[in-house]
Amino acid sequence: MVVHHKCRNKACVNPDHLELMTDRRHKQLHQRKKFCKRGHPMFGENLVVYKDGERGCRACIAIRNSWRTTL
């Protein structure tokens, strides 16, 4: 079981905004997303699919990597 934030704010602790769901259901919700949290498309060349089935945004990965090289 995992905690899903209905409000999409992971820092939120309001019990009305949280729900328990199976890990499988949680992954299904994320696989339907068309855009990442920064608004980049989650399809085409910008989409990364990892071995475990998780999806990622290449643009956000590039941003994170650029921050690491400037520190």
Side-chain angles (χ1 to χ4, degrees):
M1 300 297 280
V2 295
V3 177
H4 172 69
H5 297 263
K6 293 188 262 185
C7 62
R8 297 183 181 174
N9 178 0
K10 290 184 180 184
C12 176
V13 293
N14 182 339
D16 294 333
H17 296 181
L18 306 175
E19 68 178 324
L20 277 177
M21 60 176 50
T22 63
D23 188 46
R24 181 178 181 182
R25 176 71 181 130
H26 194 252
K27 285 183 180 180
Q28 287 174 344
L29 280 176
H30 286 284
Q31 287 177 347
R32 289 188 294 191
K33 288 179 17 178
K34 302 282 186 216
F35 298 93
C36 74
K37 65 182 180 181
R38 291 188 179 99
H40 304 123
M42 291 289 288
F43 50 86
E45 292 184 8
N46 193 50
L47 177 65
V48 177
V49 180
Y50 298 102
K51 290 179 184 178
D52 63 358
E54 289 291 318
R55 297 166 8 126
C57 170
R58 287 187 194 275
C60 289
I61 293 168
I63 291 169
R64 276 195 306 273
N65 289 340
S66 70
W67 291 339
R68 289 182 182 148
T69 59
T70 59
L71 297 178

